[in-house]
Amino acid sequence: MATAFDEMNIGSGGVRLPYDQLFRWLNEQPQDALDYRRREAELIFRRIGITFAVYGEAEAQERLIPFDVIPRILAAAEWQKIERGLTQRVKALNMLISDIYGAREILRAGVIPDDMVFRNPAFRPEMNGQKVPHGLYVPIAGIDLVRVDADTFYVLEDNARTPSGVSYMLENREIMLRLFPELFARHRVTPVENYPDVLLETLTSIAPHTTAGEPTVVLLTPGVYNSAYYEHSFLADKLGIELVEGRDLFVRNEVVYMRTTTGPRRVDVIYRRIDDDFLDPLAFRPDSALGVPGLMSAYQAGNVTLANAVGTGIADDKAIYSYMPAVMQFYLGEEPLLKNVPTWRCREDDHLVYVLDHLDELVVKEVHGSGGYGMLVGPTASKIAIEQFRAKLKAAPDNFIAQPTLALSTCPTCIEGGIAPRHVDLRPYVLTGRRGTRIVPGGLTRVALKEGSLVVNSSQGGGTKDTWVLDN
Amino acid sequence: MRLHISHNTTYRYDTPPATVTQILRLTPRNHDGQHVVRWRVELSEDCILHEHEDAYGNLTHTFTADGPLNELVITVSGEVDTQDTHGIVRNAVERFPPQFFLRETDLTKPDAAIRDLAAELRDAGDPATLPLLHRLLARLHRDIVFDVAPTSPTTTASEAFALKRGVCQDIAHIFLSASRLLGIPARYIGGHLARSDDALQQEAGHAWIEAHVPDLGWVSFDPANGISATDAYVRVAVGLDYLGASPVRGSRIGGAGEALKVAVAVAQSRQQIQD
């Protein structure tokens, strides 16, 4: 693995231009000042109660995601490149999903093998041949990017199902503004505070054609036991919409209503943070008590918009991901502006042979996995872990893909007794409504706090940073 | 043959629910060897029945009935002309390519015992698809005892296979599980059967499967009876498993002590066929 690209330091004391002011400011700070601010930030986070539940940890059911007070900075030109690439990517994702549930041209053309779609658990037969309002499947996408050098960002993962984490983007900025007003005075940072407005405009714009008047938008949560419940209530509050659970909604004659103190009120757009499986016990898991009975029939009748659409998880699949360059060529006739990480599909014999021979160099992931669970990072894994993984891989090769271990870029990060480079990624949130795609500049930067670690997921002990896009 | 079908589903509630929402898959469609002459779905409650086609091409009815309801009755009656096609199903409504029906579901997920069965049958003779399916049909018909007692609608293929007992739905799930393991696309069929013993009253609909055979297309197999479907069968709904093809799925708000009673009668009148 090559030495990582540092986003601030270019070696022998040089500093990259976007970090010029920050570097100077950091040098002006007394040793303990940052430490003090860090503790202050933590106190604020605790007070507002922004927590994250880590599955499988009985002890600390609710945990604070560590916040690093040193911002990650992108120049305007860097962001413009990213923005164009994301817009292109999300356009292709939407066309792909629409085609998979529609004409299936991409399968007929042989670009993606049939069985990878039809036998994929994320393919929802219930969506087959169904129209969705305005043909928009992915109004909210979270695209995970990693950087390897000054010019190259790779797309690491597409999140077209229910991308989470945007509340951290907003909270991180709010806290930074409180803690470091003087630092903002030295920079022209593009605001992110308008994200809730843009999201609401996006959701309102995709209301079904049968909506009369101003559409009613709600946020549907599985409830307080969900790990992202904080984010659900935070966003509903910022958007000024009702936060509802399944039992607050009902369907009558294929129209969705919300129970209110003044009687039933029609619901037009549901920003749903419930997985497909639990949405409607009449269509999916019959034992789900979280959903709304009959919701799918209202959806299929075109009387309600679900954001995101049902069945978009097919695009999150890591085996499908590996076809994205060909997918973009097929629908858009364009080269991807943001590259895919080269990916070996273990379902293919020659790829599997290569992967098994190079386990100690590769990152191996489950095709349907998320959250950094069930993956192997070869270079940092023990011999025993590698051998255990080899057995898992051989038993079900279809379930895995492998990628080279990328030297993710690093950013200066507060550590015990100083500042050190730590690996980061970036998840921008891409909003697509009837009037096009909008991306609030920045996104969520996740940072692997352990030295040398490449796993930034909060469930694996990663932290977050505020992400600044500078205005020229 | 012309089949006269009546299919009544009655829900009784000790404590009346405020609202009942259901989706029904109770209406057959035409294909070679099956022509629906007349069909009606009626509810005991006064509410709108919305008719749609689901993703598999099944005709569905959805409704919301307002309570308080002591009882809810769904009455289905109709006539269907059928001809024996030697189990071959042509010109049915198809919404997916055959390989879609290789998908595993929670109800059809194989376990080691079903894997062993599939491997044994594969090695037991002619490896071609059709003879293999016939071996599977014969084996399940012989080994699985029809018994309504031990299983429920949530029983999985592997659970039923371990019991070696079950109803037509369970035997169909085992067939689907093994067939898909063998690389043969297979799907669940819900419908009706005019029984040869002339027992008119049945306590449930029937279930069997269709498997995809190269050069023949979809071919029906009824493992509960050890035969392919004949002109005594009416094919109503198709799915990956029972959940996808189930005649009634519903949910209610409030209410308790729900009791379900199903009465099916399939009568035949050969004299009405003119051929």
Side-chain angles (χ1 to χ4, degrees):
Chain A
M1 201 176 91
T3 324
F5 169 77
D6 191 83
E7 299 196 7
M8 183 167 83
N9 298 303
I10 41 180
S12 56
V15 170
R16 290 182 63 249
L17 200 57
Y19 281 86
D20 180 42
Q21 286 293 329
L22 177 71
F23 180 78
R24 267 189 249 174
W25 180 84
L26 284 172
N27 284 335
E28 291 163 15
Q29 303 304 304
Q31 181 62 51
D32 53 354
L34 275 180
D35 229 35
Y36 175 77
R37 301 285 184 95
R38 185 169 62 148
R39 280 196 298 274
E40 202 177 343
E42 200 180 305
L43 208 66
I44 299 171
F45 272 121
R46 278 205 193 284
R47 203 179 309 135
I48 55 178
I50 183 163
T51 59
F52 184 87
V54 177
Y55 292 117
E57 275 189 18
E59 296 285 302
Q61 220 204 10
E62 295 244 310
R63 200 164 76 180
L64 220 53
I65 295 190
F67 173 67
D68 184 64
V69 294
I70 303 178
R72 192 253 189 104
I73 306 180
L74 296 166
E78 291 175 325
W79 175 253
Q80 280 155 14
K81 260 176 74 179
I82 293 173
E83 194 176 32
R84 278 198 302 274
L86 293 171
T87 305
Q88 180 200 41
R89 182 128 186 145
V90 168
K91 187 174 176 191
L93 286 174
N94 202 65
M95 290 174 87
L96 170 67
I97 298 168
S98 166
D99 188 26
I100 281 176
Y101 293 114
R104 301 181 191 143
E105 279 166 16
I106 200 152
L107 303 183
R108 264 184 283 156
V111 176
I112 297 179
D114 289 18
D115 68 320
M116 189 161 282
V117 169
F118 290 125
R119 297 181 69 180
N120 196 317
F123 173 79
R124 290 287 169 181
E126 294 81 1
M127 287 302 286
N128 186 52
Q130 303 292 343
K131 294 221 175 341
V132 304
H134 311 284
L136 265 174
Y137 286 79
V138 193
I140 305 146
I143 309 292
D144 291 348
L145 303 177
V146 295
R147 182 175 205 172
V148 293
D149 58 44
D151 304 312
T152 316
F153 284 86
Y154 282 109
V155 174
L156 190 64
E157 253 174 51
D158 299 297
N159 294 282
R161 203 177 332 217
T162 38
S164 63
V166 77
S167 56
Y168 297 101
M169 171 182 90
L170 296 168
E171 294 279 33
N172 289 354
R173 176 61 54 84
E174 206 178 312
I175 284 185
M176 288 297 285
L177 283 164
R178 270 163 80 170
L179 292 178
F180 304 106
E182 74 280 14
L183 195 51
F184 281 90
R186 293 195 191 190
H187 294 85
R188 288 181 59 189
V189 181
T190 322
V192 296
E193 295 83 339
N194 60 334
Y195 178 84
D197 299 335
V198 180
L199 177 58
L200 186 60
E201 276 170 39
T202 301
L203 293 170
T204 307
S205 80
I206 55 173
H209 300 290
T210 55
T211 301
E214 192 60 22
T216 298
V217 184
V218 299
L219 193 154
L220 176 62
T221 174
V224 293
Y225 297 110
N226 186 271
S227 68
Y229 182 74
Y230 171 80
E231 176 158 299
H232 305 163
S233 65
F234 174 88
L235 284 175
D237 185 48
K238 292 277 179 191
L239 268 69
I241 61 176
E242 293 292 332
L243 177 67
V244 298
E245 294 183 32
R247 58 170 181 259
D248 301 319
L249 301 179
F250 67 93
V251 175
R252 164 129 333 176
N253 291 329
E254 309 193 319
V255 173
V256 184
Y257 295 92
M258 163 170 58
R259 292 171 218 285
T260 76
T261 48
T262 54
R265 179 167 158 204
R266 181 179 160 148
V267 171
D268 304 292
V269 182
I270 301 177
Y271 177 23
R272 51 96 176 203
R273 299 292 297 256
I274 291 186
D275 289 345
D276 291 350
D277 259 338
F278 298 95
L279 267 182
D280 177 356
L282 267 49
F284 304 110
R285 280 177 61 151
D287 56 343
S288 167
L290 302 172
V292 186
L295 180 58
M296 278 302 281
S297 66
Y299 189 43
Q300 286 160 355
N303 289 334
V304 70
T305 299
L306 297 178
N308 289 347
V310 174
T312 52
I314 188 76
D316 293 10
D317 185 90
K318 294 185 181 68
I320 297 279
Y321 158 92
S322 68
Y323 290 96
M324 277 309 285
V327 165
M328 291 164 87
Q329 195 56 250
F330 182 75
Y331 293 119
L332 307 172
E334 294 169 8
E335 286 297 312
L337 298 172
L338 293 165
K339 284 192 219 168
N340 250 42
V341 180
T343 302
W344 287 275
R345 293 183 281 265
C346 301
R347 71 200 299 272
E348 292 173 22
D349 290 343
D350 49 334
H351 288 209
L352 178 64
V353 169
Y354 179 88
V355 172
L356 288 170
D357 277 351
H358 297 83
L359 276 182
D360 57 341
E361 301 165 17
L362 299 171
V363 176
V364 191
K365 297 175 179 175
E366 283 188 54
V367 289
H368 313 307
S370 67
Y373 292 98
M375 78 190 232
L376 176 82
V377 182
T380 59
S382 68
K383 281 225 158 56
I384 298 168
I386 288 180
E387 288 319 305
Q388 283 170 344
F389 211 90
R390 185 187 304 279
K392 257 170 71 178
L393 182 54
K394 278 182 170 164
D398 285 14
N399 287 346
F400 296 93
I401 54 109
Q403 294 170 335
T405 309
L406 297 178
L408 307 193
S409 62
T410 55
C411 280
T413 302
C414 280
I415 58 155
E416 212 58 58
I419 295 172
R422 290 290 181 265
H423 296 290
V424 294
D425 79 347
L426 176 65
R427 175 181 290 182
Y429 297 88
V430 185
L431 301 177
T432 307
R434 213 170 33 167
R435 287 177 281 278
T437 293
R438 291 173 71 182
I439 312 167
V440 170
L444 179 64
T445 291
R446 297 185 298 180
V447 51
L449 294 170
K450 255 191 287 172
E451 187 174 3
S453 170
L454 294 166
V455 187
V456 296
N457 302 73
S458 48
S459 53
Q460 312 291 320
T464 69
K465 281 172 169 290
D466 191 13
T467 311
W468 291 6
V469 173
L470 300 183
D471 192 351
N472 271 349
Chain B
M1 123 183 1
R2 176 161 293 187
L3 299 173
H4 300 260
I5 294 154
S6 93
H7 176 187
N8 296 333
T9 308
T10 307
Y11 292 88
R12 285 204 178 81
Y13 308 97
D14 292 343
T15 307
T19 310
V20 173
T21 304
Q22 293 188 338
I23 178 164
L24 313 175
R25 287 181 181 81
L26 294 169
T27 308
R29 302 187 79 162
N30 297 336
H31 55 81
D32 291 4
Q34 173 167 310
H35 178 74
V36 181
V37 179
R38 187 181 64 79
W39 202 263
R40 277 182 78 83
V41 177
E42 288 172 294
L43 286 182
S44 57
E45 295 304 306
D46 189 16
C47 57
I48 305 172
L49 269 180
H50 299 271
E51 192 179 308
H52 293 289
E53 183 189 297
D54 74 8
Y56 298 93
N58 300 312
L59 291 179
T60 64
H61 291 91
T62 58
F63 69 90
T64 307
D66 284 319
L69 296 165
N70 294 306
E71 189 183 84
L72 178 70
V73 186
I74 306 155
T75 308
V76 176
S77 62
E79 285 174 26
V80 180
D81 278 345
T82 59
Q83 282 159 324
D84 196 332
T85 59
H86 308 286
I88 296 170
V89 183
R90 292 225 170 96
N91 289 318
V93 175
E94 300 291 352
R95 294 289 178 257
F96 292 104
Q99 70 263 36
F100 167 77
F101 293 96
L102 286 168
R103 261 170 102 89
E104 251 177 34
T105 67
D106 289 345
L107 288 172
T108 63
K109 209 181 195 137
D111 62 355
I114 294 179
R115 283 177 199 283
D116 289 348
L117 171 77
E120 185 202 321
L121 291 170
R122 183 178 44 219
D123 299 339
D126 188 343
T129 304
L130 199 57
L132 186 48
L133 287 166
H134 278 289
R135 288 201 292 281
L136 178 55
L137 178 73
R139 174 64 73 89
L140 294 184
H141 180 55
R142 189 193 76 192
D143 285 2
I144 313 294
V145 178
F146 187 88
D147 184 352
V148 295
T151 62
S152 77
T154 57
T155 302
T156 64
S158 55
E159 288 164 357
F161 190 59
L163 290 166
K164 296 285 182 289
R165 287 174 176 273
V167 295
C168 48
Q169 169 190 316
D170 301 306
I171 309 174
H173 282 155
I174 302 168
F175 198 119
L176 294 176
S177 182
S179 177
R180 290 171 188 164
L181 269 180
L182 292 163
I184 307 168
R187 59 195 188 186
Y188 186 96
I189 305 295
H192 298 294
L193 166 61
R195 282 166 52 172
S196 53
D197 58 3
D198 284 333
L200 282 185
Q201 288 298 329
Q202 305 171 22
E203 286 174 352
H206 194 46
W208 60 97
I209 72 101
E210 286 169 5
H212 198 264
V213 180
D215 303 325
L216 286 179
W218 290 104
V219 180
S220 63
F221 294 90
D222 176 1
N225 291 299
I227 55 169
S228 283
T230 64
D231 54 358
Y233 288 69
V234 174
R235 181 184 189 273
V236 177
V238 54
L240 283 169
D241 59 20
Y242 166 74
L243 267 182
S246 74
V248 181
R249 285 181 72 169
S251 144
R252 56 186 158 78
I253 299 169
E258 177 182 288
L260 167 65
K261 192 167 177 282
V262 178
V264 180
V266 185
Q268 41 184 301
S269 47
R270 283 169 211 275
Q271 67 276 14
Q272 287 179 28
I273 295 288
Q274 301 296 313
D275 57 358

